[in-house]
Structure formats: C-alpha cells, structure tokens
Amino acid sequence: MRLGLLALPFLAATVQAADYSGPLRPQVQFSPPKGFMNDPNGMFYDAKRSIYHYYYQYNPSELVAGNQHWGHATSPDLYHWTNHPPALEPDNEDTFIFSGSAIIDSENTSGFFPDQDDGVVAIYTAHSSTKETQHIAYSTDGGYTFTKYANNPVIDSHTDNFRDPKVIWHAESQKWVMVIAWAHALKIGIFTSPNLKDWTPTSNYTQEGLPGVQFECPNLVTFPVDDADSGETTKDVLAISVNPGAPLGGSGTFYVVGQFNGTHFNSEVKEETLFDFARDNYAAQWFYGLPEDSKPVSIGWASNWDYTNEVPSGDREGWRGSATVPREQTLINVDGAWRVTQTPFQGLSPVKGDKLEKKTFNNGDVSVDFSSVESNAVYFDVTIKNLPSSDVTGELSFNFTSSASGEYLDGAVELNSGSFWINRAGTHLFTTADNDNFTGQFDTSISVSESGQFTFSGVIDRSVFEVFLEEGKQSGTMSFFPTKPLDKVTFAATGLGEDVTVDLGVWGLKSGWSS
Ligand code: FRU
C-alpha cells in the first residue's frame, strides 16, 4: 500500500452504524460498514461454534488507506455477515496494525490458554514509518476481543518492508510455520515456532523472474491431488501478492506449486500463474481451521492499489473496498500444468434466489430483465455443447445494461479465436478519465474441452463482477461503477454451428445483509 497519511484520530471499539442499501454496495460480497477496507486478515473457522471469522485491513475514520485496524465480521455461511467492533486497534498514532493471520491454539502451545482448547492467536505486522515488526495478540472469547502480548514484538528484524505473517500448523513437524514477505527484497521468509512466541528463520524462497516491485501477503496452502498425476497425494501452493508491478498493472496475485518440507518450499514449476485475468483480486487469504474434508477456501480483496483510494463508492456512499465471493478450490493437472480452480463457495447456495431463466438455444438472443431482483445481484451459468473438435466458429456474448442510463458491462467468448474478454468501459461513474489505470477490457485465452464443451458462470453484484471459466480453471474479477444500476442482461449467440447448443441459467441472488 502507499501511505501518505496524517496523524489520524482513533475510534473507540464500537460497531459502526452501516447502510448497505447504496446502489454501489455489493450484497453478496462483504464490504465494510463505513470507511476504507483492503486485505482480508486472520480468517479462521471456529468449528466449535460453526462460525467463520473474517478480519480485514480497515481505516474506520477515513475513506482512504491509513490508520490501519483489523475490522471484524462473522458469518455462519460466508455470505450472511454480522459486523463487530474492530478486533485490533493501533496503540498510538504512529504504529498501525497491518495484515496478518489467526489460528486456534487448541493445544495451548502458547501458554495463553491454560483452561481452554479454543483460544485464538492473531499474528500481525506492527507498521511504523521506520520499522515493520511481527506481533501477536490472544483472544479467550473466540476471536471477538484480543489482548496484545506483553513481550511484543515476537520477531524484530530491524527492518522495514517485512510484513504480512500467515501462520499454519504443520502436523508432520509439530510446529507452527509462518510465511512472511520481505517485501522489497522480493523474498518469502519461512519461520517456524513451537509456541507462537519464539520464531526461528528456516529459509527464504524466491524464484528467478517473478514479477513485482514488492511481495506482500503470502499464503502456503496444502491441496489434495490425484496421485495418478504425480505419484503424490498432496501438493503445496505458495500464493504471493505483488504490488506494484503485477503483470496486469498495479497489484495482482500469483501462485507457484511445489512441496513444503517443514522448513523449505521447493517450487516444481518454471513459471508463476496469475490467479485472475482481470485487475481486481488482490491479497487473497485462505481460511485456517476448516473441517478436514473441506476444500481450501479463500477470499480476496476486489480492488487494486492503482485506484482504490479514488473509487466513487467513497464520496457517494461512505465506504471503499469489497471482498470477492468466498472461493473454494482444487488443484488439478491440466495437460501437465498445475492449476488452482476456484468457484464460489458452495455454489452460492446460501444466497441463491429465484430462477429467472433456464433455456437451451442455438444462435439468437435471450434477454432477462432483473429489475425486480431486490438485491440487484444475479448469478448465471452457460454451457456451450457439441462444439466440433476443430474449426470452431461463432461467439457467445453477454451484455448487462442499465435501462435508466444505457450503460453496460459486456463480455464474450470468441470460440473461433479462442479468447474470452470482459469489459467495464461502458459504465461511466469511474473511468480512465478519472484514473488512467482503470482500464476497461481484460482478455484471456481459452480452449474448448475434448468433449466439445465450454462453460462459464458469473456473479454480477452492483459494483463487482466475477466470472469463472471452465469450472474455475480461470477467473476474472472486475470492479465497475455505473451511474445507474445495471438491471437487464442479453446473451447473444452468433455464428455457432447448427448442432451447437447453449444451455443458459440465470438466478437472482438474495442479499446477505437483509435475510
Ligand atoms: C497489501 C498491503 C500489505 C499491508 C497492508 C496494509 O495490500 O500493502 O502488505 O500489510 O496492505 O494495509
């Protein structure tokens, strides 16, 4: 982030009154009650109480980054949210609470929890203009209130640009493992600890040619894999966020796939893969403590440091920054290359509303008016079937339009050229005239599956659009700002061979804030 901040007032730890009715307010993705939000922090699942905790980088007192707290919300299903008072506040006006993670210390390795097996420890960066050190705080009430450890910092490397600790439990070595960004050095540090207080550096990871000016917010995630692909049953994925200098401009997140042995991460791929083919998915974090049989689940920040401090939800509605939908993931091998797939957690079922359209067609148009959907949020999926194995022709486009202003967000799969694109340039409340970096169109290459199919699905939610291609093998996340709500969508197929069919489904989404 860029901090160009004045000394800022502190707020008492109360829940801020919130109005989630503004026309730019996402109804399915999380956004803060007021003020400015960036990275997801400290995400964990409390299995005892069946509740997800979500913390986030939060400036409760201004509409731009700075005065960083950990905001806090909980959810039974990752779609319906309850806001709580900030969980961690700065001690003074020069030291902010930067990104980090949280774990459940069920064995009381830290000694903070003599009488309980559900103590929570937050591990975060204390940031000042000259130093970044790693601190811990503990919670005996399940993650609502924290006490800062009296002997902080737990890691002081006498440096700035050293931040964003993400801690996991490594069962094989019976140790806590931290991945952390040596931001300007473009390295990921790995530390281990028996008790969350005493940390030993074990290695630094870097890989020739990784892009970016700073590394931020690393995550190390173990995925189950099909042992037919590599002879192994798990692989480790290291996610690294970079800012600025991501391949699409500004901030972006990529991953590398390999093995972690308790002290070192060894990449097994030559090149990193970007998580997203658009600009607004940054600093994703993965939940700690999910049930054994759960897939990994992450949430990202649906914005970009290139323009986040200027987007119009601030002046219009008093908030900036929203999350992506929660995404569940798998790691699969596609023609020899590892790919993390991501699709909305539980297929959005907790908020999936009425079916607005279900149709099979060939060439032609299908339009759906969703002006009566109270949330103004819609989910759609498309399966194009019976495509020939070569010389595929035609395209399927979609266009979300505002009946009041004529603004639009559009996109298409161009089957003949093997490309998929999305474009926000038809929405006018914030454009490249406001900020050069708010570019309109994002493209990616696609291929038709061996079975002659191409599928994609998406969520449009007032000012956030997320699209998932081929069961989530690729995704594109784009914030957009119309002057009037988009309330109609047209899907149009042209040039498809006569045997080709398009299965389309469109559903309204229910607001996570009102039901
Ligand atoms: C990433 C980041 C982190 C930092 C936080 C500050 O977006 O810059 O590196 O901890 O934001 O808000």
Side-chain angles (χ1 to χ4, degrees):
M1 71 176 295
R2 292 163 208 157
L3 280 174
L5 303 162
L6 304 170
L8 296 161
F10 297 103
L11 294 190
T14 51
V15 191
Q16 292 195 289
D19 175 0
Y20 280 89
S21 68
L24 299 173
R25 265 290 190 187
Q27 300 297 294
V28 169
Q29 293 95 342
F30 180 80
S31 60
K34 278 197 169 120
F36 180 89
M37 177 179 99
N38 54 297
D39 316 348
N41 290 159
M43 293 168 14
F44 78 95
Y45 178 62
D46 178 347
K48 221 176 199 179
R49 301 174 185 84
S50 303
I51 195 132
Y52 297 89
H53 286 260
Y54 177 79
Y55 307 87
Y56 53 91
Q57 282 293 282
Y58 187 34
N59 183 350
S61 53
E62 284 197 313
L63 287 164
V64 291
N67 186 26
Q68 243 57 18
H69 292 51
W70 273 27
H72 184 206
T74 53
S75 174
D77 57 14
L78 295 180
Y79 292 100
H80 295 86
W81 294 102
T82 302
N83 284 313
H84 300 287
L88 289 168
E89 303 191 358
D91 289 329
N92 58 60
E93 58 186 37
D94 302 321
T95 308
F96 299 122
I97 313 279
F98 267 24
S99 283
S101 50
I103 56 83
I104 300 175
D105 187 13
S106 51
E107 301 293 327
N108 189 26
T109 63
S110 61
F112 292 134
F113 312 109
D115 305 320
Q116 63 183 118
D117 60 5
D118 59 355
V120 180
V121 177
I123 308 97
Y124 60 94
T125 298
H127 166 98
S128 75
S129 56
T130 53
K131 231 181 181 191
E132 288 187 332
T133 51
Q134 314 319 317
H135 289 215
I136 59 177
Y138 57 96
S139 169
T140 54
D141 65 2
Y144 294 88
T145 58
F146 285 86
T147 304
K148 288 174 184 157
Y149 176 44
N151 296 331
N152 277 330
V154 293
I155 306 179
D156 182 354
S157 294
H158 306 283
T159 171
D160 58 358
N161 288 299
F162 173 53
R163 60 179 179 271
D164 308 339
K166 170 68 171 142
V167 173
I168 54 172
W169 175 248
H170 190 251
E172 292 87 330
S173 58
Q174 291 288 295
K175 288 216 164 84
W176 299 104
V177 171
M178 174 193 291
V179 284
I180 184 163
W182 297 101
H184 279 163
L186 302 181
K187 290 193 172 119
I188 300 304
I190 299 177
F191 289 66
T192 62
S193 172
N195 58 10
L196 300 159
K197 295 172 175 164
D198 303 304
W199 290 95
T200 306
T202 62
S203 62
N204 285 328
Y205 168 80
T206 195
Q207 187 163 322
E208 274 307 296
L210 291 185
V213 175
Q214 293 186 93
F215 281 3
E216 300 182 321
C217 301
N219 278 241
L220 183 62
V221 192
T222 301
F223 280 81
V225 288
D226 186 343
D227 62 359
D229 290 321
S230 61
E232 292 157 326
T233 52
T234 62
K235 289 243 172 235
D236 298 307
V237 169
L238 181 63
I240 305 175
S241 289
V242 304
N243 176 61
L248 297 173
S251 36
T253 302
F254 61 77
Y255 63 92
V256 288
V257 180
Q259 287 292 354
F260 176 66
N261 64 10
T263 56
H264 292 68
F265 176 79
N266 297 304
S267 168
E268 295 170 1
V269 293
K270 287 208 180 64
E271 283 193 350
E272 72 284 357
T273 308
L274 262 182
F275 266 105
D276 216 281
F277 70 89
R279 264 185 179 231
D280 296 327
N281 183 359
Y282 193 58
Q285 184 169 107
W286 275 255
F287 274 94
Y288 182 88
L290 293 176
E292 285 274 296
D293 57 351
S294 168
K295 292 175 183 162
V297 176
S298 73
I299 296 180
W301 172 46
S303 193
N304 191 306
W305 281 117
D306 267 358
Y307 40 74
T308 191
N309 285 316
E310 297 162 33
V311 297
S313 58
D315 294 342
R316 296 267 168 148
E317 298 178 7
W319 64 277
R320 282 197 176 115
S322 80
T324 65
V325 292
R327 296 174 177 195
E328 60 192 18
Q329 289 141 348
T330 65
L331 181 66
I332 57 170
N333 198 286
V334 185
D335 303 330
W338 290 106
R339 203 165 263 281
V340 173
T341 71
Q342 34 183 351
T343 48
F345 181 58
Q346 293 182 347
L348 293 150
S349 57
V351 283
K352 211 159 166 188
D354 294 339
K355 189 187 339 160
L356 305 176
E357 184 63 274
K358 187 100 188 144
K359 198 161 202 164
T360 299
F361 61 108
N362 176 246
N363 291 308
D365 293 5
V366 178
S367 289
V368 181
D369 176 342
F370 58 95
S371 54
S372 61
V373 174
E374 209 176 319
S375 67
N376 189 224
V378 157
Y379 170 75
F380 64 91
D381 66 26
V382 172
T383 303
I384 309 175
K385 285 192 196 140
N386 303 329
L387 289 160
S389 52
S390 61
D391 300 326
V392 186
T393 58
E395 70 169 64
L396 180 93
S397 65
F398 53 91
N399 189 312
F400 289 88
T401 323
S402 165
S403 53
S405 67
E407 288 164 283
Y408 59 92
L409 178 152
D410 60 346
V413 51
E414 293 180 0
L415 294 157
N416 45 357
S417 62
S419 74
F420 190 101
W421 57 268
I422 53 180
N423 194 344
R424 59 187 173 188
T427 55
H428 300 325
L429 195 55
F430 193 69
T431 68
T432 45
D434 301 295
N435 182 312
D436 285 350
N437 294 317
F438 196 75
T439 48
Q441 180 157 329
F442 305 97
D443 301 82
T444 190
S445 302
I446 58 110
S447 54
V448 170
S449 74
E450 268 172 31
S451 59
Q453 284 205 9
F454 181 78
T455 63
F456 66 99
S457 62
V459 175
I460 188 158
D461 187 0
R462 298 191 182 199
S463 61
V464 184
F465 179 68
E466 302 185 47
V467 70
F468 305 92
L469 313 187
E470 298 175 285
E471 282 86 45
K473 286 188 197 122
Q474 299 196 67
S475 65
T477 310
M478 189 167 79
S479 59
F480 65 98
F481 300 96
T483 62
K484 297 281 179 210
L486 307 187
D487 55 5
K488 183 183 157 185
V489 57
T490 301
F491 292 85
T494 50
L496 299 180
E498 61 184 34
D499 297 336
V500 176
T501 55
V502 179
D503 290 339
L504 168 70
V506 182
W507 289 261
L509 292 170
K510 292 182 275 187
S511 172
W513 294 108
S514 59
S515 51

